[in-house]
Amino acid sequence: MTSPRATTTLWRPTGPKELELVRALDWRAWPPRLPEQPIFYPVLNEDYAVRIARDWNVKHDGAGFVTRFDVDSDFVRRYPVRQAGGRTILELWVPAEELDEFNAHIVGGIQVVHEFHAAGETPAAPVPDSGSGPVSGAL
């Protein structure tokens, strides 16, 4: 009998455009980076992802979403943890050219766990169904 492989949970704050691309990939992968995006930055804690989605994505995109996903722990160890500010502001830096391989090591699907919208605005459509069950409302 084999035991299930160990996974590491990561979060990714994202705007509506990237989220639509994730949906188009059946909630199983992150889209290729744009030329001006040489690094893919998943983060190591939910609170940090919430702050980015709520405070940055909403301001720039009108909405922000926090996603959660698991990656094979043995694989993800190749990326050193980077401290981008305070003690809890931790992220991984995945070079854009390695994103396909990174995606191949996602275990399960990508789930939307929080959504935020600009004050007074409501989503034009329901939160995308990521198969994750209920999505928490804006905090």
Side-chain angles (χ1 to χ4, degrees):
M1 176 188 291
T2 61
S3 60
R5 61 185 163 174
T7 60
T8 299
T9 299
L10 298 173
W11 288 264
R12 170 100 175 136
T14 186
K17 290 178 185 174
E18 184 176 52
L19 194 65
E20 282 301 316
L21 295 172
V22 171
R23 177 196 290 202
L25 294 167
D26 200 27
W27 304 101
R28 300 281 177 210
W30 293 99
R33 303 290 82 197
L34 298 172
E36 65 273 12
Q37 300 171 322
I39 303 289
F40 174 70
Y41 301 94
V43 303
L44 275 66
N45 67 68
E46 186 174 11
D47 179 62
Y48 178 35
V50 164
R51 284 186 279 155
I52 295 169
R54 183 189 61 218
D55 301 342
W56 195 89
N57 290 107
V58 169
K59 180 179 178 181
H60 294 280
D61 300 323
F65 303 88
V66 175
T67 61
R68 179 179 59 215
F69 60 101
D70 294 323
V71 180
D72 181 283
S73 293
D74 288 336
F75 173 80
V76 83
R77 281 188 192 100
R78 74 167 56 182
Y79 302 104
V81 174
R82 308 285 182 143
Q83 189 171 349
R87 284 188 313 191
T88 62
I89 301 177
L90 305 173
E91 54 194 28
L92 301 179
W93 293 3
V94 179
E97 62 271 12
E98 296 178 21
L99 189 54
D100 285 342
E101 186 178 11
F102 180 90
N103 283 334
H105 288 87
I106 292 175
V107 177
I110 298 167
Q111 302 174 330
V112 175
V113 294
H114 299 284
E115 73 170 297
F116 304 93
H117 297 274
E121 292 187 24
T122 56
V127 173
D129 177 16
S130 63
S132 63
V135 175
S136 66
L139 300 176

